[in-house]
Amino acid sequence: PSTALEYINKIHRRAYDYPIDQPSPIDYTSLTDRTKAEPDDHLANDPLKYERWAELFAEGQWWFDIRRWEIGEQEMKYFKNRNGSLIWRGIDCYVQPIPKTEIERYNGNIKQSGNY
């Protein structure tokens, strides 16, 4: 955890134009410190996920992180509070289709993912 915290702080320091290898006033002191996320956001006390989100914002990575960490339900709840009707369908929401060419060319025994 201390190594992870140091790497997170290095990214945070760089973003705020502090020397990356020296402690700064913006450093997190733990992996559960308060972030700049809104209080009702599930990233509010998760510097690792929040800083990853902030660092890669609009680069198309967040959905893959949501799937990896299986935090889709928390994301849906956060946005549902702002946008109204969203429906979480459980773990099936993480499933992606297998390309048809993969099934046809390489392995006819592969079954397509559900709902595709």
Side-chain angles (χ1 to χ4, degrees):
S2 62
T3 302
L5 185 61
E6 182 56 26
Y7 284 129
I8 292 167
N9 281 329
K10 284 182 179 192
I11 291 168
H12 202 198
R13 291 173 198 144
R14 182 188 45 78
Y16 286 89
D17 206 26
Y18 284 97
I20 65 168
D21 291 322
Q22 299 173 12
S24 75
I26 58 153
D27 283 0
Y28 293 111
T29 57
S30 78
L31 293 175
T32 57
D33 268 3
R34 182 76 177 89
T35 68
K36 290 193 174 212
E38 295 180 14
D40 63 336
D41 189 334
H42 63 99
L43 302 179
N45 292 93
D46 194 335
L48 172 69
K49 291 176 183 148
Y50 176 79
E51 289 299 327
R52 180 156 171 91
W53 171 83
E55 181 73 14
L56 299 175
F57 182 77
E59 292 187 17
Q61 296 297 314
W62 189 237
W63 173 243
F64 298 105
D65 290 340
I66 289 170
R67 288 176 52 208
R68 178 180 342 135
W69 294 321
E70 295 185 358
I71 58 172
E73 187 169 9
Q74 294 99 315
E75 280 284 295
M76 187 274 310
K77 286 178 184 174
Y78 176 73
F79 286 102
K80 183 176 184 176
N81 290 338
R82 284 153 179 70
N83 301 322
S85 62
L86 295 174
I87 299 170
W88 179 251
R89 295 188 184 122
I91 195 97
D92 290 343
C93 292
Y94 298 124
V95 177
Q96 297 288 299
I98 300 170
K100 187 176 178 183
T101 55
E102 294 292 317
I103 296 170
E104 292 173 349
R105 291 184 189 167
Y106 303 110
N107 190 343
N109 295 324
I110 296 176
K111 301 294 183 217
Q112 183 57 272
S113 301
N115 299 322
Y116 290 102

